[in-house]
Amino acid sequence: MNVLIVDDSPIMRKMLRRDLRRAGFDHLRIEEADDGAQAFEMLRRGRFDVVSTGWNMPNMGGRELLEHVTLNDFDVVAGVISAHATKAAKQSAQQAGAAFFVSKPFTPDTLRAELAEVLR
Amino acid sequence: MQYPNRNELRELLEQLVGKDVTVKDTTDLDMALIGNSTYEFVDASDAPKCVLGIELPLAHALGASLAMMPSARANAAKPDPDLLEATREVVNVVSGQVNAQNNVHIRLIPGSDGTAPWGNRRPAAAYTIEIGDLPTGVLAFANA
């Protein structure tokens, strides 16, 4: 399964890789993007099954990326992993097509619980 | 603005860094120790709402814990860019907690690098934080 991790923090991308592995998702092939614009280009060029995006990012944030995924009919499951898990943000993400919204800080257990269906 | 209390902050940091964290209320913030670790938050209309300042030893400790870097690096007297990059992510997560407690949605100024001026602000909430045997320091919030 091909997964694209989008977050402007290299530290957070590293942690997410680590905790996905610790959660038992060893079968993933993971690539990274550091903002929505880069992620969009990667989605246009490549084949991904799942996209996990941050919310507040420069050069296209999470909401805009989700909208582009929907508008362009990319065959991918997209969702959000963010520290800003307000009710408004979750609603906004859902309206934009997010299939999941995981709050930071996350642990391997929360990733396993929240993403089991998406990453199986 | 409402800010996390010491228990809320402790739970958040423990979950983030994966270590035992001790958080105590304090009223002292040593401005001489702040350097390169003060962050400004704005609301949806880019109006300043609050700042978060971290004494440098603690900023290094938070960064080293999150990024799992050798703890000896946290003792650096001068700002360590690699550690402070990780610290910024801690600050980002803490801001999520602040959002949860207020009716405004705040975010770090894009590109914020920790050099926002603290100025003459009085802390609205300040805590002494210990993470294992890493350097201790104060983390404080102030209104804009």
Side-chain angles (χ1 to χ4, degrees), chain B residues 16 39 41 52 54 86-96 108:
Chain B
L16 193 57
Y39 301 86
F41 298 89
L52 187 159
I54 313 174
T87 306
R88 189 180 183 283
E89 187 55 34
V90 175
V91 170
N92 184 41
V93 173
V94 171
S95 74
L108 267 174

Side-chain angles (χ1 to χ4, degrees), chain A residues 7-12 14-15 18 22 55-56 58 83-86 89 104-107 110, chain B residues 12 15-16 66-69 82 85-86 88-89 92-93 95-97 99-100 105-107 110:
Chain A
D7 197 301
D8 59 330
S9 165
I11 298 293
M12 199 42 69
K14 182 177 170 182
M15 286 181 64
R18 180 198 68 193
R22 286 179 176 176
W55 195 243
N56 290 326
H84 300 275
T86 60
K104 291 178 186 177
F106 49 76
T107 63
T110 56
Chain B
L12 185 71
Q15 202 169 1
L16 193 57
L66 182 67
M68 294 183 294
M69 293 186 185
D82 291 337
E85 186 178 7
R88 189 180 183 283
E89 187 55 34
N92 184 41
V93 173
S95 74
Q97 178 75 28
N99 276 332
H105 174 67
I106 66 164
R107 59 191 171 87

Side-chain angles (χ1 to χ4, degrees), chain A residues 88-118:
Chain A
K90 288 182 177 179
Q91 282 177 343
S92 180
Q94 195 172 30
Q95 286 165 1
F100 58 87
F101 198 122
V102 178
S103 301
K104 291 178 186 177
F106 49 76
T107 63
D109 285 343
T110 56
L111 290 176
R112 193 180 305 117
E114 304 265 358
L115 300 178
E117 282 301 307
V118 173

Side-chain angles (χ1 to χ4, degrees), chain A residues 18-75:
Chain A
R18 180 198 68 193
D19 284 356
L20 283 170
R21 194 173 59 249
R22 286 179 176 176
F25 298 118
D26 299 324
H27 61 293
L28 306 179
R29 282 184 295 276
I30 298 175
E31 292 187 49
E32 299 179 15
D34 58 18
D35 60 44
Q38 185 185 19
F40 178 62
E41 285 305 311
M42 293 173 73
L43 285 165
R44 282 183 54 235
R45 294 196 310 266
R47 173 78 183 98
F48 293 96
D49 302 292
V50 177
V51 176
S52 162
T53 179
W55 195 243
N56 290 326
M57 297 182 295
N59 300 327
M60 192 188 297
R63 173 159 179 127
E64 196 177 348
L65 176 61
L66 290 170
E67 288 171 345
H68 279 296
V69 166
T70 302
L71 278 170
N72 287 274
D73 206 23
F74 291 141
D75 185 17

Side-chain angles (χ1 to χ4, degrees), chain B residues 4-5 11 16 24 31 42 44 49 57 61 66 70 73 79-81 86 94 105 113 115-116 139 142:
Chain B
N5 62 38
E11 285 180 24
L16 193 57
K24 299 177 184 175
M31 296 310 303
V42 296
K49 294 301 294 184
L66 182 67
R73 284 185 67 170
D80 182 321
V94 171
H105 174 67
D113 60 358
T115 58
L139 179 153

Side-chain angles (χ1 to χ4, degrees), chain B residues 98-111:
Chain B
V98 176
N99 276 332
Q101 297 176 272
N102 294 277
N103 288 329
V104 293
H105 174 67
I106 66 164
R107 59 191 171 87
L108 267 174
I109 291 177

